[in-house]
Amino acid sequence: MAECGAGGGGSSGDSLDKSITLPPDEIFRNLENAKRFAIDIGGSLTKLAYYSTVQHKVAKVRSFDHSGKDAEQDHEPPYEISVQEEITARLHFVKFENTYIEACLDFIKDHLVNTETKVIQATGGGAYKFKDLIEEKLRLKVDKEDVMTCLIKGCNFVLKNIPHEAFMYQKDSDPEFRFQTNHPNIFPYLLVNIGSGVSIVKVETEDRFEWIGGSSIGGGTFWGLGALLTKTKKFDELLHLASKGQHANVDMLVQDIYGGAHQTLGLSGNLIASSFGKSATADKEFSKEDMAKSLLHMISNDIGQLACLYAKLHSLDRVYFGGFFIRGHPVTMRTITYSINFFSKGEVQALFLRHEGYLGAIGAFLKGAEQDNPNQYSWGENYAGSSGLMSASPELCPTQRARSGTFDLLEMDRLERPLVNLPLLLDPSSYVPDTVDLTDDARARKYWLTCFEEALDGVVKRAVASQPESTDAAERAEKFRQKYWSKLQTLRHQPFAYGTLTVRSLLDTREHCLKEFSFPDPYSKVKQKENGIALKYFQGVVRALDSLGWEERQLALVKGLLAGNVFDWGAKAVSDVLESDPQFGFEEAKRKLQERPWLVDSYNKWLQRLKGPPHKCALIFADNSGIDIILGVFPFVRELLFRGTEVILACNSGPALNDVTYSESLIVADRIAAMDPVVHSALQEERLLLVQTGSSSPCLDLSRLDQGLAVLARERGADLVVIEGMGRAVHTNYHAVLRCESLKLAVVKNAWLAERLGGRLFSVIFKYEVPAE
């Protein structure tokens, strides 16, 4: 986010350059590929939305063509890698003060190369005021959209696509934002929009909603009466005054009327009995601050009670608040929260939205893009190009506040396939993927942020090394370093910027930043080499396993899975070993493992289960390339197949660290099938199925998985889920409750985390869980 300079916009793009510190092309990113526009103009802020195509570099793998050759060479890698350009869709949202509208429109006009649209969808009160200016500057026809329809469409969109969109506000917590896990079914809910007045809307489905009530006493009332009482004309300054006031100097409290007898009534003495009640009888002058605070309480309490009554009348427990009165101001969120909590006795929650200011622009965009069916896709927030939620501390004077005079950005990338819940989750509405909430845990937050900072040099080095032919790799890697470093500093001061802060979100932000600077898969060559080496050992490992007795083989298979999991380039303790000792292999990894009993050890229970009937179908989430997938996972898969269990092997859709991708797994499975009849026949008969997860993360969110995987798990009757690796089974899903049996296994390759869990480096987690009857 950039601070704006003084004064409004001029008449050309140059004046935009002078008025803000961020270069305009970093604000209106990718404008040359913009296809369609929408705009939402409120009383003080403009929100611009546009859809563009983004060119990304992607690393593609494919098998060598061996036709006409005798046999493949021993030294030859198992497949070839090529970097290709891929075009994806992105939604951009930019929020700025109305004073900049002319300069921004000029900049857009000068940089619009080719847009499909001849119309710009517009919503908000300012759509009328600025209609002629927009049409003149952009030469696009303004098509005005209904404000409420746009708000609701926008609200549905963010609730469906941004997992940590909604939050509760708790003033005495550190930090004050408490994010909610999105319910798999977002409907029904109540939307209370507090603009000049108040509109209360019940939303039942994507297209069915009704205005059920409202009030003329809203944000405009606070602003208007506040201006009359304090002679302060600016809304933000009025809120700033309120944040410093003492309402009890102006309001009559319960204890002022009843004295000590209020306790017999079961009421708190500090409750407001009459807003502004003391001003009728007192001879003194009241301070502007106290009057502003009293007014804020009066209007917030009124809105809170109204919202609460409507929620109870319609049996709704989710109430989202939005509108310019809220706009992320702690002082308004605090009073609304208190009011709802008081009147509902804690039964109704006041929820706020991270992207509340964008709802109208998102909705207007969706209205104009209906022929593209944007709702049939899933979308994901691009952390590399989004500003995140800023703290709006009222202690800052209004001109310094994060929202005053800034450009705020949100980018959403279209995902190629729809994402859904894993049907095997016991209760999707209470599922939380992440094990530790770093927003809450200050000690863990400090450790992990430092850990990611210290790892940055290694990531930059790896990125440059992955593109030896590129002349600008070092320059791009340096830009990546600066961007990710600045994100980490933002998260130190505002850990809630992108929702709940977790190890997963830190890893995902890093992947987004790498992709942004055209490092699509820094580990592609490492994976290629390690897959090639591991394939050479596969037959030997399988022969050794087959020579063991049944019980001995089961333990050897599990130890093989765990040893394979050691090979994780994302863990510093491992990458240090792998870089200093290129000979470190499968047997050495087995020797690194903790001796039994393991840190978490349900192995005996698992062995007993294996003596029973075979599982119908196992869903296995794989982790790393090379030794992990080839010498750890595939022998385990082979044993399950041998028992008569079908297997769905799920791998990442896109690259992250040295994790195996779906396209790599297809080639690896093909090569193993050529050596092993059990795997060969299982692939032929579709008893072994390879699928993609829909994710490009080293962690695993079971509420956002590829729809094809979810359908397959249901159709095949999966009754065992195996989650492997530290990212997928410890940082995430350690506490996940499934409706079928599950195995979570990992080697803890981080000393701090191992100590937190009560173990040491290379401690073993082997967690076998059976659902309660």
Side-chain angles (χ1 to χ4, degrees), residues 314-350:
H314 292 270
S315 306
L316 298 170
D317 58 0
R318 275 174 287 171
V319 184
Y320 298 105
F321 287 87
F324 88 83
F325 183 69
I326 303 292
R327 232 172 78 202
H329 291 287
V331 68
T332 53
M333 292 192 291
R334 188 184 305 165
T335 49
I336 291 277
T337 299
Y338 177 83
S339 173
I340 282 275
N341 200 39
F342 175 80
F343 289 115
S344 76
K345 297 185 170 62
E347 286 174 24
V348 178
Q349 283 186 334

Side-chain angles (χ1 to χ4, degrees), residues 465-577:
S466 72
Q467 298 182 359
E469 301 84 23
S470 169
T471 52
D472 67 343
E475 185 190 334
R476 282 184 288 112
E478 189 49 43
K479 285 181 179 170
F480 152 74
R481 179 209 298 277
Q482 288 165 8
K483 180 145 223 176
Y484 189 54
W485 177 266
S486 80
K487 293 281 176 196
L488 292 173
Q489 302 327 301
T490 297
L491 291 165
R492 272 198 189 278
H493 300 112
Q494 320 229 291
F496 44 77
Y498 297 103
T500 303
L501 182 65
T502 61
V503 173
R504 173 168 65 107
S505 67
L506 289 169
L507 285 162
D508 290 351
T509 304
R510 189 168 72 185
E511 293 299 326
H512 291 187
C513 292
L514 280 166
K515 196 174 174 186
E516 197 67 28
F517 293 102
S518 295
F519 293 106
D521 192 356
Y523 289 85
S524 57
K525 289 187 169 62
V526 173
K527 291 186 289 179
Q528 180 193 41
K529 183 183 170 192
E530 291 183 348
N531 284 331
I533 291 167
L535 282 166
K536 291 186 176 67
Y537 289 101
F538 177 78
Q539 283 174 298
V541 166
V542 165
R543 269 198 301 273
L545 286 164
D546 287 349
S547 69
L548 300 172
W550 182 83
E551 201 155 313
E552 206 183 341
R553 185 166 73 249
Q554 303 317 307
L555 183 58
L557 282 162
V558 164
K559 282 186 172 174
L561 259 180
L562 294 164
N565 194 243
V566 168
F567 292 85
D568 179 357
W569 281 89
K572 192 174 186 303
V574 177
S575 60
D576 287 352
V577 171

Side-chain angles (χ1 to χ4, degrees), residues 730-771:
V730 180
H731 288 313
T732 50
N733 299 305
Y734 192 70
H735 300 303
V737 184
L738 301 175
R739 57 175 74 242
C740 67
E741 293 171 48
S742 64
L743 260 185
K744 298 166 189 171
L745 52 138
V747 177
V748 185
K749 295 154 297 217
N750 174 285
W752 183 89
L753 183 62
E755 189 188 332
R756 255 264 166 129
L757 293 167
R760 296 200 309 260
L761 196 61
F762 298 111
S763 288
V764 168
I765 306 282
F766 187 91
K767 202 176 184 192
Y768 170 57
E769 294 171 309
V770 179

Side-chain angles (χ1 to χ4, degrees), residues 164 170 174-175 177-181 432-446 448 495-506 730-732 735 752 756:
H164 290 153
Q170 296 175 338
D174 181 23
F177 301 98
R178 283 279 169 278
F179 289 93
Q180 304 291 292
T181 303
V432 177
D434 305 284
T435 307
V436 179
D437 178 348
L438 303 182
T439 329
D440 255 356
D441 190 330
R443 193 168 143 251
R445 178 167 76 241
K446 187 180 174 190
W448 284 109
F496 44 77
Y498 297 103
T500 303
L501 182 65
T502 61
V503 173
R504 173 168 65 107
S505 67
L506 289 169
V730 180
H731 288 313
T732 50
H735 300 303
W752 183 89
R756 255 264 166 129

Side-chain angles (χ1 to χ4, degrees), residues 262-310:
H262 65 82
Q263 288 167 335
T264 58
L265 299 169
L267 293 171
S268 161
N270 292 324
L271 275 181
I272 298 171
S274 172
S275 294
F276 290 93
K278 286 179 181 170
S279 59
T281 53
D283 280 336
K284 61 174 187 171
E285 288 285 313
F286 294 100
S287 76
K288 291 179 179 183
E289 288 83 357
D290 294 348
M291 289 190 290
K293 186 60 163 271
S294 173
L295 183 62
L296 180 72
H297 277 302
M298 182 178 92
I299 288 165
S300 297
N301 285 336
D302 185 58
I303 294 168
Q305 185 169 29
L306 202 57
C308 190
L309 291 169
Y310 276 111

